[in-house]
Amino acid sequence: MARVHAGGSTRLTEKPLLDTLVETTLDVCRETGHPLQLHTGFGDPDVDLLQANPLLLRPVLEDPRWARVPIVVLHMAYPYFREAAFMAAVWPQLHVDLSLALPFLGAGGVSPLIDMLSLAPSSKLLYGSDLGGLPELFALSADWARANLGEALSWLVERGDIDLEDARRVGRQILTDNATALYRLSG
Ligand SMILES: [Zn+2]
């Protein structure tokens, strides 16, 4: 407060304070049944990418107090998407939001998606755009993400990893079913 009153930044950066706020938020999520979204990987230009590796969440994921709190790591944890895919396979409560990587990687989003689909359970992956502002961007992002996801799933179908019916089911899970269930969007 003293810093802000002196004209300084309103951004909270003190680690002990942030750690306490995260723990309090985890407690609230446990009591209310809400998932906790955490920024991981790239995002704002001032991010310390070394500290944005989702593997650093291990103490939280293995703490029995929050074992049942669903945690959603955002932005595909890019460039740590392989770590995120592994974590989604290992920890039941961990989910991966694909936003920002889709749409900002453009056509380059296909390859990370193939990695994610090959390792993470399809029930743990959620489409997101992370966009705000112009409504046209939401439509464009949705189009590009569908195209990338379609291409990644086709790649797996062509090689016999999954059949066409599985691909349709997985596409639907990622684009709608998983988010509807996790965020209790229906009813
Ligand atoms: Zn974000």
Side-chain angles (χ1 to χ4, degrees):
M1 292 297 289
R3 186 184 66 213
V4 173
H5 286 312
S9 166
T10 56
R11 190 159 189 159
L12 301 179
T13 53
E14 296 78 5
K15 184 167 166 50
L17 174 62
L18 293 173
D19 285 352
T20 303
L21 290 173
V22 169
E23 291 202 358
T24 304
T25 307
L26 281 161
D27 287 340
V28 171
C29 287
R30 183 187 56 217
E31 284 154 25
T32 59
H34 285 104
L36 176 62
Q37 294 186 333
L38 286 169
H39 271 99
T40 50
F42 74 159
D44 294 340
D46 62 347
V47 71
D48 179 356
L49 207 49
L50 272 178
Q51 294 298 317
N53 190 325
L55 285 173
L56 295 169
L57 287 170
R58 186 173 177 180
V60 169
L61 294 167
E62 295 189 339
D63 191 313
R65 285 177 292 171
W66 306 306
R68 289 175 188 278
V69 175
I71 291 185
V72 186
V73 296
L74 298 178
H75 304 334
M76 209 191 281
Y78 196 86
Y80 303 112
F81 56 91
R82 292 189 180 110
E83 286 87 338
F86 166 76
M87 292 171 75
V90 168
W91 283 290
Q93 71 271 47
L94 192 117
H95 299 69
V96 185
D97 173 283
L98 308 174
S99 69
L100 208 62
L102 308 175
F104 285 167
L105 290 178
V110 174
S111 166
L113 268 179
I114 291 172
D115 276 59
M116 301 290 314
L117 289 164
S118 301
L119 187 53
S122 60
S123 59
K124 301 289 207 64
L125 306 176
L126 307 117
Y127 167 73
S129 68
D130 199 59
L131 296 174
L134 288 175
E136 288 84 350
L137 287 176
F138 292 93
L140 274 175
S141 167
D143 275 354
W144 293 338
R146 271 195 296 265
N148 277 358
L149 186 57
E151 207 165 318
L153 288 167
S154 299
W155 193 93
L156 294 168
V157 169
E158 281 161 19
R159 281 151 189 84
D161 268 18
I162 52 174
D163 63 27
L164 207 51
E165 204 176 313
D166 281 336
R168 285 209 183 87
R169 181 179 53 79
V170 169
R172 193 176 169 80
Q173 279 181 308
I174 293 173
L175 293 173
T176 176
D177 291 347
N178 293 341
T180 302
L182 186 67
Y183 300 116
R184 295 187 230 147
L185 298 176
S186 61

